Amino acid sequence: MGAATPIAYVRSRPAERRRPPVSARGPFAWLRQNLFSTPFNAVLTIVAMMALAWLVPPVIRFLLIDAVWVGADREACLAGPDGREVGACWPFVRERIFYFIYGSYPLGERWRVDLFFALFAFGAGWLLWLEAPRRTLGAAYFFVVLPIASFILLSGWPAVGLARVDTALWGGLLVTVVVAAVGIVLSLPLGIVLALGRRSKMPIVKFFSVAFIEFVRGVPLITVLFMASVMLPLFVPPAWSPDKLMRALVGVTVFSAAYMAEVVRAGLAAIPRGQFEAAQALGLSYGRMMRLIVLPQALRITIPNIVNSTVALFKDTTLVFFVGIFDFLRTIEVARADPKWATPVTSATGYAFAALFYFVCCWSMSLYARRLERRLSAGQGR
Amino acid sequence: MAAGTDRPRDRFYNNSKVRSIVWQAVLIICVVGVAWLLARTTAENLARARIASGFGFWNVTAGFDISQTLIEYSASASTFGRAFWVGLLNTLLVAVIGIVGATVLGFLIGIARLSNNWLVARLSTAYVELVRNLPLLLQLLFWYNAVLKTLPDIRDSLHLPLGGFLNNRGLFLPAPVGEGVGVLVWAMLAGIAGAIAVLMMWRRRPHQVRLALAPVALLLPPVAAWFLYGEPTAVEYPELGRFNIRGGIEVLPEFVALTTGLIVYTSAFVAEVVRAGLTAVPKGQVEAAASLGLRRGAALRLIVVPQAMRVIIPPLTNQYLNLTKNSSLAVAIGYPDLVQVFAGTVLNITGQAVEIVIITMGVYLVISLMTSMAMNLYDARLAMTERR
């Protein structure tokens, strides 16, 4: 074979230039790639657009365009003689907004509720902002100072000039926040104890913890609340019988402690064995090992899940509805049945307002949890 | 030796075994003591309030009506015990229908979230976020009070396809009638059980055989029953009258609202479970399947789904349990489920709170424990197949 023999598989001249793809960038390319890449995708896109066109405009019309913004009573929110469609009846919400926030809390004492909200927001912010200074102090404030101060502030202490306010008068947002806050503040320590109990080597401690956790997780919250509201008064002498709100708080705490225990347990399980062994090798006692080595790490990686179960608890606070407590949702239920505002759109307006409130609260909490989770997993490489 | 006993770790109260026994003994004494105290106070309180105790009420005539009964029940002749079963069956009915609906909707939305169609993925994300962040109770009240109660009344009923009607008195559907219906229903249940058995149990047979046999097992009993019975069932359509609707099946508006609410709420959680399961399968698996020459459909069916199912099934069961427990919110809209009938009406009439709350909790507890036992068996079997 001489050098003259051409090698068949080597090109001797450049390939003919191909035409560039019709479009690889720009809005049309984006549309093609993301919405119409295959016939099936095109059909999906069209169906989705039809669903959007069917759903979104009526909702916007109801909430904004056709909505009634001013008025004194139901007359404003009834369809006029011209037969115009009426949307949301916002004057109803505006008139009742203080009821939704404070319930029947005495008018002159409502500054106490405002102060409670501020104290609570301050504590929650301190704990949730991870770069905040002196977070240990923040935890002490949130879990010890705040509950005591709030109790004195809200239910009153005549000795310091705060008139007593019966819990039957509490309502609306106040009760929702109180129930959720008490649930978290009490269930976290209880949950930690239960989680440690469940991982304990002592069989009887373990048995009681598992039995409690599985029992509570196996039944609906509503039965726990029923139990608290009808059985708690039977358990104690009549003189000590707790009021309705207290019973519901006990029920909610018991319920969320069991779920919190499982969340904390997952955090404990994520701590490498070496941490326990190193602590023991240093001669730390069980209590010190947990307090100084294990729990700080476990709780740190558990914060997103704790926030997530706070979201669940926050949604579950609506169930105190069933044991005669006027939480936020219940105040809306009561207000919407008021003949003064009885129109075909009152219910939908009330529910739209409640939905907005719950969605903003829950969604912002879950966004926070998700961001935190990403950050923690980025730092820890877990 | 005498010097040794002085060392702190040799003192008996520093011995970890002794400590553990002491701690546990203290715990037992505390728990038993508290339980005894509570029991004593409860007995005193009950005696003072003259509330009977024990389960004697079970056989007492109930005397109240229930709006939906799957088994025979009458206010004048049936007992509280019968009312319990009616409520339990109503709960189970909602749970079964809710589970089927939430599974179908949840899988669709979970898969749609991973779609490469931008709009579909965004829409399903919006659905999940919206539904998950609103309390179930609010959603149920919305469906019941703002949707079903504002539907037109009977005269202006919405006409559904296949001859059904929807109005503010509920949903009216065509009903199969004739003597064969009962047999046919049992045959269908047998078929479903048979298909599940073929899919789950018959592990020795290859995948394809099982997939081919499952529909046969599903359809054989009903078809056989149809022919053997020799009396094809007729369909009775609801008829629209001036003030009422005759014939067909009447579905309570409470039932419609409750199942809709539960399906919508749970489907968002199921969708998240499905999405997590599908994304948990490493990308390399799909690429490996592609490099083996499997088409996308085959890769999904043979490689991705079986691995994803392992991740999906435990949390999915958890969601099913949640749905069953959440069905107790029926109280809010007056659907006669276990909690509404038994822990509501029966408790109010008899006043025997302790017994009734314990029975109600027991029912849910039994359902939960049975499910988690099944789950443990499933996990154990998976662990075994992995080792092979």
Side-chain angles (χ1 to χ4, degrees):
Chain A
M1 294 291 161
T5 315
I7 301 170
Y9 51 81
V10 173
R11 270 189 196 285
S12 51
R13 56 199 178 85
E16 221 172 288
R17 192 171 283 187
R18 276 201 237 156
R19 278 183 39 206
V22 184
S23 62
R25 49 182 68 190
F28 284 100
W30 184 88
L31 277 181
R32 249 179 44 152
Q33 282 161 15
N34 288 298
L35 297 182
F36 299 99
S37 56
T38 60
F40 176 67
N41 249 342
V43 172
L44 273 185
T45 303
I46 291 168
V47 170
M49 280 181 170
M50 275 159 54
L52 272 181
W54 180 68
L55 264 174
V56 173
V59 170
I60 291 179
R61 262 214 312 278
F62 179 83
L63 290 179
L64 300 173
I65 299 173
D66 288 344
V68 178
W69 297 93
V70 283
D73 57 9
R74 64 190 288 267
E75 293 298 326
C77 300
L78 289 172
D82 49 346
R84 193 177 61 93
E85 286 254 331
V86 181
C89 182
W90 295 122
F92 155 69
V93 174
R94 190 179 307 166
E95 196 198 81
R96 289 307 167 87
I97 189 77
F98 293 114
Y99 179 57
F100 297 156
I101 294 176
Y102 305 104
S104 311
Y105 210 84
L107 276 176
E109 308 289 335
R110 286 187 177 172
W111 60 271
R112 283 152 63 171
V113 179
D114 295 333
L115 185 58
F116 161 70
F117 285 148
L119 290 175
F120 177 75
F122 176 68
W126 198 347
L127 273 190
L128 293 180
W129 181 33
L130 292 191
E131 278 80 36
R134 316 287 307 266
R135 291 184 67 241
T136 336
L137 203 62
Y141 168 75
F142 193 79
F143 287 99
V144 182
V145 179
L146 183 66
I148 298 172
S150 308
F151 179 76
I152 294 174
L153 190 63
L154 291 174
S155 63
W157 189 11
V160 294
L162 290 170
R164 279 221 174 279
V165 178
D166 191 39
T167 56
L169 297 175
W170 301 17
L173 181 62
L174 167 64
V175 162
T176 295
V177 172
V178 164
V179 174
V182 169
I184 285 301
V185 167
L186 293 184
S187 75
L188 194 58
L190 272 176
I192 292 173
V193 170
L194 283 169
L196 291 177
R198 190 166 187 166
R199 286 171 60 91
S200 162
K201 289 197 187 72
M202 298 184 240
I204 292 168
V205 173
K206 188 172 177 175
F207 169 79
F208 279 123
S209 309
V210 172
F212 177 84
I213 294 172
E214 293 306 324
F215 171 75
V216 173
R217 279 162 40 94
V219 298
L221 171 56
I222 200 170
T223 57
V224 177
L225 285 172
F226 273 167
M227 180 164 140
S229 96
V230 298
M231 284 167 68
L232 219 51
L234 294 178
F235 284 162
V236 293
W240 300 0
S241 190
D243 62 27
K244 270 186 187 170
L245 184 66
M246 189 60 82
R247 294 180 215 165
L249 289 178
V250 170
V252 166
T253 304
V254 163
F255 187 76
S256 61
Y259 282 82
M260 202 57 91
E262 288 299 277
V263 167
V264 174
R265 186 165 76 114
L268 288 174
I271 302 301
R273 265 185 94 87
Q275 297 288 330
F276 292 87
E277 290 165 354
Q280 280 164 351
L282 286 175
L284 296 184
S285 67
Y286 178 83
R288 289 186 151 197
M289 172 175 78
M290 285 301 168
R291 213 177 60 239
L292 300 174
I293 310 289
V294 179
L295 280 177
Q297 300 184 61
L299 289 183
R300 192 176 167 83
I301 57 170
T302 315
I303 295 178
N305 286 334
I306 294 177
V307 175
N308 278 335
S309 50
T310 311
V311 174
L313 177 65
F314 193 74
K315 288 189 291 173
D316 281 342
T317 57
T318 52
L319 266 68
V320 298
F321 191 102
F322 296 112
V323 288
I325 290 166
F326 289 79
D327 76 318
F328 185 75
L329 187 59
R330 180 79 184 267
T331 52
I332 285 183
E333 275 293 289
V334 172
R336 97 187 161 78
D338 179 2
K340 186 183 172 194
W341 288 100
T343 70
V345 292
T346 310
S347 303
T349 309
Y351 293 140
F353 180 64
L356 198 69
F357 165 74
Y358 282 108
F359 183 78
V360 167
C361 293
C362 296
W363 198 54
S364 51
M365 278 192 271
S366 25
L367 276 188
Y368 169 83
R370 236 174 292 171
R371 263 191 37 202
L372 195 63
E373 195 160 18
R374 257 206 304 275
R375 216 181 81 177
L376 290 178
S377 64
Q380 304 275 324
R382 280 211 183 90
Chain B
M1 275 300 136
T5 48
D6 270 358
R7 294 211 318 261
R9 70 186 176 114
D10 287 342
R11 289 191 192 127
F12 79 96
Y13 54 81
N14 276 347
N15 183 320
S16 66
K17 257 187 198 152
V18 175
R19 284 188 157 212
S20 133
I21 290 172
V22 170
W23 277 120
Q24 300 188 59
V26 169
L27 183 68
I28 290 185
I29 292 169
C30 286
V31 170
V32 170
V34 168
W36 181 77
L37 262 179
L38 290 184
R40 218 187 55 170
T41 340
T42 308
E44 273 172 20
N45 281 334
L46 286 177
R48 194 175 307 119
R50 297 221 173 74
I51 296 174
S53 55
F55 295 91
F57 70 91
W58 195 260
N59 294 320
V60 175
T61 308
F64 64 93
D65 263 318
I66 301 178
S67 56
Q68 177 187 303
T69 55
L70 295 180
I71 49 176
E72 217 171 293
Y73 176 89
S74 75
S76 53
S78 301
T79 59
F80 286 127
R82 189 78 175 171
F84 166 83
W85 290 112
V86 170
L88 178 57
L89 283 175
N90 285 344
T91 289
L92 292 179
L93 179 71
V94 166
V96 168
I97 292 180
I99 284 173
V100 172
T103 308
V104 173
L105 192 58
F107 268 78
L108 281 180
I109 289 167
I111 293 168
R113 276 198 81 173
L114 296 172
S115 162
N116 49 16
N117 185 319
W118 183 86
L119 187 63
V120 170
R122 286 303 158 99
L123 260 184
S124 27
T125 307
Y127 173 88
V128 170
E129 289 295 336
L130 181 70
V131 170
R132 279 205 318 171
N133 285 310
L134 293 177
L136 175 60
L137 183 59
L138 173 63
Q139 298 190 32
L140 287 181
L141 291 172
F142 167 79
W143 287 114
Y144 186 62
N145 290 323
V147 176
L148 279 155
K149 283 283 140 182
T150 54
L151 285 174
D153 56 17
I154 287 191
R155 253 178 304 170
D156 306 318
S157 293
L158 302 175
H159 293 248
L160 302 178
L162 300 174
F165 294 106
L166 184 63
N167 55 44
N168 59 8
R169 296 257 292 271
L171 178 66
F172 297 83
L173 295 174
V177 287
E179 287 172 32
V181 173
V183 181
L184 214 57
V185 167
W186 283 113
M188 275 180 188
L189 289 181
I192 293 172
I196 292 175
V198 166
L199 284 178
M200 304 283 288
M201 311 283 180
W202 214 2
R203 304 300 287 195
R204 294 272 179 77
R205 304 283 154 183
H207 192 75
Q208 289 87 346
V209 176
R210 278 187 289 140
L211 274 190
L213 277 180
V216 178
L218 180 68
L219 292 178
L220 190 67
V223 171
W226 182 280
F227 281 112
L228 280 179
Y229 213 79
E231 187 173 359
T233 25
V235 176
E236 183 191 70
Y237 289 95
E239 265 177 66
L240 199 56
R242 261 179 76 83
F243 299 109
N244 59 352
I245 290 183
R246 271 185 301 276
I249 300 179
E250 182 189 345
V251 185
L252 295 178
E254 291 82 26
F255 181 86
V256 178
L258 184 62
T259 43
T260 314
L262 285 174
I263 287 175
V264 167
Y265 187 74
T266 314
S267 71
F269 290 88
V270 172
E272 281 301 273
V273 168
V274 170
R275 187 179 71 114
L278 288 176
T279 44
V281 178
K283 225 177 158 177
Q285 297 285 324
V286 184
E287 291 165 354
S291 70
L292 284 176
L294 289 180
R295 266 173 281 123
R296 196 173 150 69
L300 264 183
R301 203 179 67 239
L302 301 173
I303 310 288
V304 177
V305 171
Q307 297 187 65
M309 278 325 255
R310 288 186 178 186
V311 185
I312 289 176
I313 285 185
L316 189 65
T317 334
N318 214 358
Q319 290 307 326
Y320 291 166
L321 275 181
N322 280 347
L323 186 143
T324 312
K325 286 187 280 176
N326 283 336
S327 71
S328 57
L329 293 191
V331 179
I333 55 177
Y335 173 77
D337 82 321
L338 178 66
V339 171
Q340 204 260 345
V341 169
F342 198 63
T345 315
V346 175
L347 195 156
N348 282 338
I349 296 176
T350 62
Q352 291 191 266
V354 180
E355 292 86 350
I356 285 174
V357 170
I358 286 175
I359 293 175
T360 314
M361 285 182 150
V363 169
Y364 287 101
L365 214 53
V366 166
I367 296 176
S368 291
L369 290 182
M370 268 170 24
T371 316
S372 52
M373 254 159 58
M375 231 37 262
N376 287 345
L377 282 179
Y378 174 84
D379 279 348
R381 215 182 60 188
L382 269 195
M384 247 151 42
T385 45
E386 219 154 353
R387 213 178 298 145
R388 247 190 277 159

